Amino acid sequence: MAEKTVEEFGTESLLDLLRELFAFPEEMLTPATTLDELGLDSLALMELGAVLEERTGVELGTLVVAISRSGSLDQVARSIARLLPR
């Protein structure tokens, strides 16, 4: 994921980051895919949160780990975006 401002964060940003961090094949990542379907555990979510904090400059703490794994990636991206200041 290229550096993005907080205002630009969305589903595509999350998909790009998941490709970059975990090398998921393109066909696995759609806005409707869930974290459960990807098999991401709490450690992977902590890594995702750490990278998001680094790139956005916003401290997310454990909030990323608390996001529902059964929600779609689109829902996850919207949840993360709500945590980021505008």
Side-chain angles (χ1 to χ4, degrees):
M1 175 174 104
E3 297 295 322
K4 298 209 182 260
T5 64
V6 170
E7 291 81 20
E8 295 173 323
F9 187 84
T11 304
E12 282 304 313
S13 303
L14 179 59
L15 297 179
D16 289 345
L17 185 56
L18 289 168
R19 280 184 207 100
E20 177 186 328
L21 289 176
F22 305 110
F24 286 114
E26 186 76 30
E27 63 274 2
M28 265 186 98
L29 296 174
T30 71
T33 303
T34 67
L35 294 172
D36 275 341
E37 291 171 333
L38 296 176
L40 293 178
D41 60 13
S42 58
L43 184 59
L45 292 178
M46 286 180 16
E47 181 179 355
L48 176 64
V51 172
L52 283 168
E53 284 183 0
E54 178 184 307
R55 295 192 181 176
T56 64
V58 175
E59 189 172 324
L60 301 174
T62 59
L63 295 174
V64 173
V65 177
I67 290 173
S68 171
R69 291 186 188 136
S70 62
S72 69
L73 292 179
D74 184 56
Q75 291 169 325
V76 171
R78 284 186 276 143
S79 294
I80 293 169
R82 281 194 294 272
L83 300 174
L84 303 176
R86 298 285 170 184

